[in-house]
Structures are given as C-alpha cells and as structure tokens.
Amino acid sequence: MPSLPWPITSSRCKPSGRLTAHLSQQFKLNQAVLRSRSGGIKTPVTQISVALFALFLTACSADSPPNDETVNLSGQLSYLIDAKSSLDAQSAYQLFKSGQSNPLKNNSPDFGLRSDAIWIGFRADSLDLDPNEEWVIDIPYGRLARVDMSALSTDGTILAQYSQLSQTPIEERALFSRAHEFPLEVTPELDLVLIRVESRLRVQVPIHLRTSSRNASHQLNETLILGMYFGIAFIMAAYNLLIFFISREKIYLLYSLSVTSFAF
C-alpha cells in the first residue's frame, strides 16, 4: 500500500483557527434558523401550548363518574314521526300510551335531514326520580330550530309545557343556557315526558337528565374546556403571527390564518 505524501497529522489537514471559528458560527446560525422554521418545540410558548393541549384532551376524554344525580336514558326513549306536524302534546300522548311509538337504543338519536316534526318521550315513573331534587332536561344541540317539552299526568293532563326556538334570547328561555334546557318537576302525577323537535338541518337530539346542581357543574366544565380550546388556538395563531413579523416568511402568516379560520 503506497504511503501518503504527507502524514495525516500534517498541518495541511488542520483548518486554521479563523476557519474553525467561522464554521462553528455558521453551524450555530443554521441550527437557529432550523429551529425557527420548524416551529420550535424548544420555545416556552410552544411547550405551554402542548401542555395545555394535552390537558384539554384529558378533560375531553374523562367521563363523569356514575352517581344518583345523572339518569341514563339509553333504552328508555321512544319516538314518533309527525309527518304533517299536526299533533299536539295530548294527541301524541295517546299514541305513545297505545304503543304506537318506536323504541330508541340510545339517548342521542340521529334522524338525519328531515323537515317533519319528531316526538320523543320517556316514562318518568319508571326512572325512580327523587322528588326532592330539581331536575333538568338538557338537549345540548343548540342548532335545532324548535324544541318543545311537555310533562303529562296519567290522565293526559299537561302539567308543564315549554317551547323555544334556536333564536330565542338566552334571557327569555326556560333556563339560562345556550342549549335547549327545560326544568322538570317530579310529582306523583307525572307519567310521561314528551319532547317535540323540528329542524331545517340535521336532526340530532342528545337528551340528558340531570339534577340542577349536577347540570350546573357540567355546564361549568364544558365552558372551561371551550375556554381552553379557544385559548390554545389563540396562542398558536398569535405566536405564528409574531414569527411572521420577525422573519417576514409568508408561511407563518398562512398558518396563523389557517388556525384562526379553523378554530373560530
């Protein structure tokens, strides 16, 4: 094997001190640019965003523990289709009592796109509700055009009746809520609860029955989750907008606009 014309340790293989310093400085500059362009998991703002997002997912996936303040209506509901929208509460009550309703498997039925009225009912006397508690029927799908709730006795007498539209101001609703919520007073005469739904959009009717205190706690948790969601979205949009003003790279402006349009 032929020998090299100079040893490896020769000064010809060693860069000068000025060149070494220049290469080191250029390497550090390239690393800073890469971290800036990659969005930086190493920045405090992004770390906070990731932590808040993980907390948000944890809060969303956590189920409420079973208790006596929440009634599971799965398997308790049945429905009728009012094709001509001509039934009133007492006429629908007679149809339900005569067994002409169809059972529902869960408490969040989806009837798809339709323009006719739908009656959904459940027997209150079979749920063993505490009469000393204040109960609330919560239908959180606020896009339903109109929702009516009627509580009827064993002889078909209307004990309580409420009606509201999706455009009804919150202060004029039966309960102060952006969702469709109605109070339910449990009395010995209470037999059947009927909910009439109309919508020009997709008819999704998630129905929950909770005590007033439990429902207030649920609404507070829901508001907290929504606040976290919009807070994370705002941080991400503002952070990338700030990077755009510093770097003048349009990709950060586009990303900020994309987050804003998606979240808000």
Side-chain angles (χ1 to χ4, degrees):
M1 178 177 180
S3 60
L4 296 174
W6 59 80
I8 293 179
T9 58
S10 171
S11 61
R12 296 184 182 183
C13 292
K14 297 181 179 179
S16 65
R18 180 179 299 179
L19 179 60
T20 302
H22 174 74
L23 291 175
S24 176
Q25 183 178 5
Q26 187 66 33
F27 175 78
K28 292 180 180 179
L29 180 61
N30 290 339
Q31 291 296 317
V33 171
L34 288 175
R35 284 197 299 269
S36 173
R37 290 183 175 179
S38 63
I41 192 73
K42 305 190 177 187
T43 62
V45 174
T46 308
Q47 288 179 343
I48 294 174
S49 300
V50 172
L52 289 175
F53 185 68
L55 183 61
F56 167 74
L57 292 180
T58 303
C60 287
S61 60
D63 295 327
S64 300
N67 53 69
D68 296 334
E69 297 181 327
T70 302
V71 177
N72 184 9
L73 293 176
S74 297
Q76 304 289 336
L77 302 174
S78 58
Y79 74 97
L80 283 173
I81 302 297
D82 186 5
K84 297 181 179 180
S85 300
S86 58
L87 295 176
D88 58 13
Q90 292 176 322
S91 301
Y93 173 83
Q94 296 300 328
L95 294 177
F96 272 89
K97 295 297 288 185
S98 61
Q100 299 186 41
S101 60
N102 303 301
L104 290 169
K105 294 182 179 179
N106 56 62
N107 66 328
S108 184
D110 186 348
F111 298 96
L113 291 171
R114 59 193 316 145
S115 58
D116 43 12
I118 300 174
W119 290 87
I120 302 174
F122 63 89
R123 292 180 59 91
D125 57 350
S126 63
L127 299 178
D128 194 24
L129 302 177
D130 187 355
N132 297 320
E133 292 282 359
E134 296 180 356
W135 295 90
V136 174
I137 297 175
D138 175 30
I139 304 175
Y141 192 56
R143 301 179 68 184
L144 295 171
R146 176 175 176 174
V147 180
D148 304 334
M149 194 281 283
S150 303
L152 296 100
S153 64
T154 52
D155 60 355
T157 303
I158 297 177
L159 300 175
Q161 195 169 44
Y162 303 94
S163 178
Q164 65 187 38
L165 307 176
S166 58
Q167 297 89 359
T168 303
I170 293 181
E171 60 271 12
E172 296 179 9
R173 299 189 175 193
L175 294 174
F176 192 86
S177 173
R178 65 179 180 274
H180 295 289
E181 292 186 352
F182 307 98
L184 178 63
E185 183 180 359
V186 178
T187 62
E189 298 83 14
L190 180 61
D191 179 33
L192 189 67
V193 176
L194 294 178
I195 299 170
R196 183 183 183 275
V197 177
E198 281 186 278
S199 181
R200 294 179 295 272
L201 304 174
R202 187 169 186 170
V203 183
Q204 293 177 312
V205 196
I207 303 176
H208 306 283
L209 181 60
R210 310 183 185 95
T211 62
S212 179
S213 58
R214 181 64 181 177
N215 189 68
S217 175
H218 173 80
Q219 296 297 335
L220 180 62
N221 292 337
E222 187 180 63
T223 303
L224 176 62
I225 291 174
L226 289 176
M228 292 171 57
Y229 167 75
F230 287 112
I232 292 172
F234 175 77
I235 290 174
M236 294 176 65
Y239 173 67
N240 284 276
L241 189 62
L242 177 63
I243 296 298
F244 164 72
F245 287 132
I246 295 175
S247 65
R248 296 296 177 180
E249 294 191 24
K250 294 183 179 179
I251 186 65
Y252 293 104
L253 176 61
L254 294 176
Y255 183 73
S256 179
L257 294 175
S258 175
V259 171
T260 303
S261 63
F262 177 78
F264 301 98

